[in-house]
Amino acid sequence: MNLQQVQADRKAQKELMKRYTKWFIGWFAILLLGAFIIPVYKPVFLGLFLGGVASLIILHMQNRSVIRMFDVIEHGRRPKSHGTVSRMAVGALAVIVGLFYEDRVSLIAVVTGLIAGHIIQFGEFTLAQLSRKRGEY
């Protein structure tokens, strides 16, 4: 892999992360709007929001790991490995906060919100494949 390809891949990864973040901002806006419009389901919306925030943090940690790997390839250094435990700790922290505030936040919604990053990644991948078939991507 040459240096230009690594730099192009790094730039593509950063652009992809920007698109993921935009999806999350829209998701958070919908959740907060739902929490204020439908107060009966406020614990569910807040649980999804809490899980979504943790999912976004996990996604940013994964992105940082990928960018760090590009640096390893580019400069030939040894890779630093500290990712899986940190990401698991963020998920566990979200669940602990959900347990601590179980009267205000739905724990099932927190766990479901942790999946938001995967759903957004799948949606972005699907849209990219569909637009690539049409020649737009």
Side-chain angles (χ1 to χ4, degrees):
M1 194 176 252
N2 62 14
L3 182 62
Q4 291 175 342
Q5 181 65 37
V6 170
Q7 291 172 344
D9 288 345
R10 177 185 290 135
K11 184 178 178 184
Q13 180 67 27
K14 288 182 181 181
E15 289 298 319
L16 185 63
M17 194 62 214
K18 285 181 185 178
R19 289 195 304 266
Y20 289 157
T21 305
K22 287 179 185 178
W23 278 88
F24 266 107
I25 290 171
W27 175 239
F28 292 152
I30 290 169
L31 291 175
L32 291 179
L33 192 63
F36 289 116
I37 291 176
I38 310 169
V40 175
Y41 292 109
K42 191 173 184 176
V44 174
F45 285 118
L46 293 179
L48 287 170
F49 182 79
L50 177 61
V53 168
S55 183
L56 179 62
I57 291 169
I58 291 169
L59 197 59
H60 273 284
M61 292 170 84
Q62 287 175 333
N63 182 55
R64 191 176 65 210
S65 176
V66 169
I67 296 297
R68 198 177 303 130
M69 190 55 67
F70 286 133
D71 290 338
V72 166
I73 293 170
E74 188 176 2
H75 301 306
R77 296 181 299 201
R78 280 190 68 182
K80 296 178 185 174
S81 176
H82 55 280
T84 304
V85 174
S86 300
R87 290 190 295 266
M88 290 170 85
V90 170
L93 182 64
V95 171
I96 290 170
V97 170
L99 283 171
F100 190 72
Y101 293 107
E102 66 183 337
D103 56 331
R104 296 181 205 141
V105 176
S106 170
L107 184 61
I108 294 171
V110 172
V111 174
T112 305
L114 285 169
I115 302 170
H118 298 289
I119 294 169
I120 287 173
Q121 285 176 330
F122 178 73
E124 179 64 35
F125 174 76
T126 303
L127 288 176
Q129 291 300 317
L130 291 174
S131 61
R132 188 173 290 152
K133 287 181 181 178
R134 288 182 278 169
E136 298 173 4
Y137 199 75

